[in-house]
Amino acid sequence: QKREISNFDYLMYLNTLAGRSYNDYMQYPVFPWVLADYHSETLNLTNPHTFRDLSKPMGAQTVERKQKFIQRFNEVEKSEGDLSAQCHYCTHYSSAIIVASYLVRIEPFTQTFCSLQGGSFDVADRMFHSVKSTWESASRDNMSDVRELIPEFFYLPEFLTNANHFELGCMQDGTVLGDVQLPPWADGDPHKFILLHRQALESDYVSAHLHRWIDLIFGHKQQGSAAVEAVNTYHPYFYGDKMDLNNIKDPLIKSTILGFISNFGQIPKQV
């Protein structure tokens, strides 16, 4: 409020308080999508429609999608310790594979991604190749994709270029994967993308609405009835502080839960 620290620094501070760290891919710092405009020639940071709705999780960015997730929640009966527990989302907004997929073009993340994928790159069409299509997938098109961003989207242009010339494959439409496709307003320049994206994060609109996203990820809308109301509940296994593994005697269930957590991510500690 006093403009003494940037929104970026504030989010990093909150991530650290919540136990997120660059040293742990499974609990990597999580940052919000702040823009919804990846198609315009110029970026207008004074227009509210340029921005993502920060009061809603990624699963509720469109009315149709929100209704589908509410329907899923209502259809599943509560059943503790079961993979079909009642929740809106069975996938997570931050996980090791999401982090590694964003950073796949730079080491050591290339090796991390391949090891998580069983030794090779993923099918080209599923690789991170376009900011616009990733936004459309996470906000609208793909019911198993509710990913948010990582801090690098606001300061590291290098992760957007394939400077190491990795052979990432070829998509079904014939496109060979190389550098990440940027929105028109970036003019094909990763440095300009990062500059404008950072300006968006520090803009007046985001400054006025960022607390709503913080409520969802780190605050009171993270769990309980407020989370249900906000269409913001995840599978029980994602809430690390709620799972007492010492009380689970069955080794198979225990290993299933640990595998679930390590593959799909964890909710940050509530700040």
Side-chain angles (χ1 to χ4, degrees):
Q1 287 181 324
K2 294 178 181 176
R3 304 292 170 114
E4 289 173 6
I5 64 168
S6 65
N7 289 336
F8 182 92
D9 288 335
Y10 183 45
L11 287 172
M12 282 306 296
Y13 180 67
L14 287 173
N15 269 288
T16 305
L17 280 180
R20 313 298 283 190
S21 165
Y22 282 122
N23 299 322
D24 186 349
Y25 294 154
M26 291 181 283
Q27 297 193 77
Y28 208 76
V30 56
F31 267 59
W33 287 95
V34 292
L35 294 172
D37 181 353
Y38 296 97
H39 53 270
S40 297
E41 293 295 329
T42 55
L43 194 61
N44 182 358
L45 296 179
T46 60
N47 182 356
H49 295 295
T50 298
F51 297 92
R52 165 259 179 103
D53 187 341
L54 286 157
S55 69
K56 295 184 175 71
M58 288 304 291
Q61 290 296 308
T62 69
V63 176
E64 299 79 17
R65 189 161 140 110
K66 179 182 176 182
Q67 288 308 318
K68 284 180 185 171
F69 282 120
I70 291 172
Q71 185 181 347
R72 172 193 282 176
F73 182 89
N74 292 334
E75 282 172 357
V76 180
E77 290 297 317
K78 247 187 193 155
S79 49
E80 287 300 320
D82 186 353
L83 286 173
S84 62
Q86 189 175 37
C87 60
H88 294 109
Y89 314 114
C90 296
T91 53
H92 199 258
Y93 49 76
S94 173
S95 67
I97 194 70
I98 289 170
V99 173
S101 69
Y102 280 145
L103 300 173
V104 70
R105 288 164 178 78
I106 51 175
E107 292 287 18
F109 302 98
T110 313
Q111 295 305 316
T112 303
F113 182 84
C114 288
S115 64
L116 287 169
Q117 282 293 127
S120 61
F121 292 119
D122 198 359
V123 176
D125 286 82
R126 288 204 300 256
M127 296 278 285
F128 171 54
H129 66 277
S130 155
V131 179
K132 178 176 182 277
S133 66
T134 302
W135 158 255
E136 288 170 351
S137 170
S139 66
R140 188 187 71 200
D141 296 340
N142 186 345
M143 288 293 282
S144 62
D145 183 2
V146 291
R147 79 185 88 172
E148 293 278 7
L149 298 183
I150 53 175
E152 285 81 352
F153 272 85
F154 301 94
Y155 67 81
L156 190 72
E158 286 79 8
F159 88 96
L160 298 164
T161 60
N162 187 20
N164 293 313
H165 305 293
F166 291 120
E167 292 186 10
L168 301 170
C170 185
M171 294 170 65
Q172 285 182 346
D173 64 4
T175 306
V176 177
L177 256 59
D179 297 347
V180 176
Q181 294 169 14
L182 302 174
W185 45 259
D187 296 328
D189 181 351
H191 289 83
K192 185 173 182 181
F193 172 83
I194 295 291
L195 175 71
L196 291 173
H197 206 216
R198 183 65 173 262
Q199 285 177 2
L201 179 66
E202 306 300 339
S203 67
D204 289 341
Y205 179 90
V206 172
S207 296
H209 296 86
L210 188 58
H211 64 286
R212 298 182 182 279
W213 182 83
I214 290 166
D215 286 342
L216 295 168
I217 307 297
F218 302 108
H220 77 290
K221 290 184 179 175
Q222 187 200 72
Q223 44 191 284
S225 58
V228 175
E229 202 173 313
V231 195
N232 192 43
T233 66
Y234 296 81
H235 195 283
Y237 292 171
F238 296 154
Y239 297 86
D241 53 347
K242 288 249 170 52
M243 297 302 302
D244 188 358
L245 291 172
N246 296 324
N247 287 338
I248 297 170
K249 299 291 183 265
D250 188 326
L252 188 61
I253 293 175
K254 200 171 194 171
S255 66
T256 301
I257 293 172
L258 286 169
F260 211 88
I261 293 166
S262 61
N263 284 313
F264 294 108
Q266 289 168 269
I267 303 286
K269 288 191 182 79
Q270 199 169 24
V271 176

Coordinates of all heavy atoms in Angstrom, one line a residue, residues 26 39 102 105 155 218 225:
M26 N 8.8 -29.5 -5.9 CA 7.5 -29.9 -5.5 C 6.8 -28.8 -4.7 O 5.6 -28.7 -4.5 CB 7.5 -31.2 -4.7 CG 7.8 -32.4 -5.5 SD 7.8 -33.9 -4.5 CE 9.4 -33.8 -3.6
H39 N -3.3 -11.7 -27.4 CA -3.6 -11.7 -28.8 C -3.4 -10.3 -29.4 O -3.3 -10.1 -30.6 CB -5.0 -12.2 -29.1 CG -6.1 -11.5 -28.2 ND1 -6.5 -12.0 -27.0 CD2 -6.8 -10.3 -28.4 CE1 -7.4 -11.1 -26.5 NE2 -7.6 -10.2 -27.4
Y102 N 7.9 -25.6 -17.8 CA 8.1 -24.1 -18.1 C 9.6 -23.9 -18.4 O 9.9 -23.1 -19.3 CB 7.7 -23.3 -16.9 CG 6.2 -23.0 -16.8 CD1 5.6 -22.9 -15.6 CD2 5.4 -22.8 -17.9 CE1 4.3 -22.6 -15.4 CE2 4.0 -22.6 -17.8 CZ 3.5 -22.5 -16.5 OH 2.1 -22.2 -16.4
R105 N 13.8 -25.5 -21.4 CA 14.8 -25.1 -22.4 C 16.1 -24.8 -21.8 O 17.1 -24.5 -22.5 CB 14.3 -24.0 -23.2 CG 13.2 -24.4 -24.2 CD 12.4 -23.2 -24.8 NE 11.4 -23.7 -25.8 CZ 10.2 -24.2 -25.4 NH1 9.9 -24.4 -24.1 NH2 9.4 -24.6 -26.4
Y155 N 11.1 -12.2 -14.8 CA 12.5 -11.7 -14.8 C 13.5 -12.4 -15.6 O 14.6 -11.9 -15.8 CB 13.0 -11.6 -13.3 CG 13.3 -12.9 -12.7 CD1 14.5 -13.7 -12.9 CD2 12.4 -13.5 -11.8 CE1 14.7 -14.9 -12.3 CE2 12.6 -14.7 -11.1 CZ 13.8 -15.4 -11.4 OH 14.0 -16.6 -10.8
F218 N -2.7 -18.4 -0.4 CA -2.1 -18.4 0.9 C -3.0 -18.1 2.0 O -2.6 -18.3 3.2 CB -0.9 -17.4 0.9 CG 0.1 -17.6 -0.2 CD1 0.2 -16.7 -1.3 CD2 1.0 -18.6 -0.1 CE1 1.1 -16.9 -2.3 CE2 2.0 -18.8 -1.1 CZ 2.1 -17.9 -2.2
S225 N -14.8 -24.0 4.2 CA -16.0 -23.5 3.6 C -15.8 -22.4 2.6 O -16.4 -22.2 1.6 CB -17.1 -23.2 4.6 OG -16.7 -22.1 5.4

